[in-house]
Amino acid sequence: MKQSLTRVLRVRALLEDLSRLDLEKKNAEMRQLEAAASGQRRLALVTRADALRMLSEGEVVGRESWLMRIADARILERKEAGLKALVVRGAPAVSQAREEMMARRIDRRQVEALLASAARAEKKEKARREQNRIDDWFQSGSLRGTRKRK
């Protein structure tokens, strides 16, 4: 039984590792999306500031240029909004992966507890057998000693 529990424990540990890797992958994807959204936001702010600087300096030649920068800033803001929407849509998947990993961890710990309990029971049984063997040996020795006296 101990061997089968050890095998089950190894399988449960592997399943937990797989679910942990899945969770880490999903968390990394979310961080990348959040970083990309933040990058888009910063780029939009810089582009808009550059357009306003061009407008305030009154560049006659750059009139179309500052309008293009404002349009670019709006495009970047839309990209940021799209990335944030992906983050929101991905949050339940991360939560589900976390719950799955925790369930796998609980399963593994339960098998570990069973294995530890089996080991304690085996140790107790071994001690009981050893004590019985010693008792039998002493009992047979005392019988031998009484037979010799007669």
Side-chain angles (χ1 to χ4, degrees):
M1 183 167 143
K2 186 177 178 183
Q3 253 183 346
S4 63
L5 280 176
T6 304
R7 286 183 190 142
V8 169
L9 178 63
R10 277 186 282 185
V11 169
R12 298 293 168 108
L14 289 173
L15 288 172
E16 180 187 357
D17 289 343
L18 285 174
S19 62
R20 183 181 311 111
L21 289 173
D22 184 45
L23 175 63
E24 289 174 3
K25 179 182 136 193
K26 288 182 192 289
N27 277 332
E29 289 171 354
M30 294 299 285
R31 282 191 301 271
Q32 285 177 341
L33 288 173
E34 289 169 349
S38 177
Q40 293 294 317
R41 178 72 178 153
R42 282 192 303 273
L43 192 54
L45 290 173
V46 168
T47 304
R48 189 175 303 272
D50 192 33
L52 292 175
R53 181 194 52 80
M54 291 172 90
L55 182 62
S56 68
E57 289 176 357
E59 294 180 16
V60 176
V61 178
R63 179 167 169 22
E64 293 176 0
S65 178
W66 74 267
L67 284 174
M68 288 301 291
R69 295 208 189 248
I70 293 290
D72 288 344
R74 287 185 178 167
I75 290 170
L76 291 169
E77 287 171 349
R78 279 191 224 121
K79 285 182 180 180
E80 175 197 6
L83 289 168
K84 284 184 177 180
L86 288 175
V87 169
V88 170
R89 276 188 268 155
V94 171
S95 178
Q96 182 180 1
R98 183 176 294 111
E99 288 174 13
E100 182 178 338
M101 187 204 61
M102 296 306 285
R104 300 283 187 191
R105 180 174 288 167
I106 289 169
D107 287 346
R108 179 189 50 85
R109 286 185 176 179
Q110 287 174 343
V111 172
E112 281 178 344
L114 284 173
L115 191 59
S117 178
R120 284 191 305 272
E122 186 177 319
K123 186 177 178 181
K124 190 175 180 180
E125 180 64 22
K126 185 178 178 181
R128 186 188 63 76
R129 285 184 191 154
E130 183 65 25
Q131 186 62 46
N132 285 344
R133 191 183 63 76
I134 292 170
D135 290 348
D136 290 345
W137 183 81
F138 275 110
Q139 190 176 28
S140 67
S142 65
L143 289 176
R144 279 184 278 167
T146 57
R147 288 182 188 158
K148 290 181 183 178
R149 291 185 198 158
K150 291 183 182 178

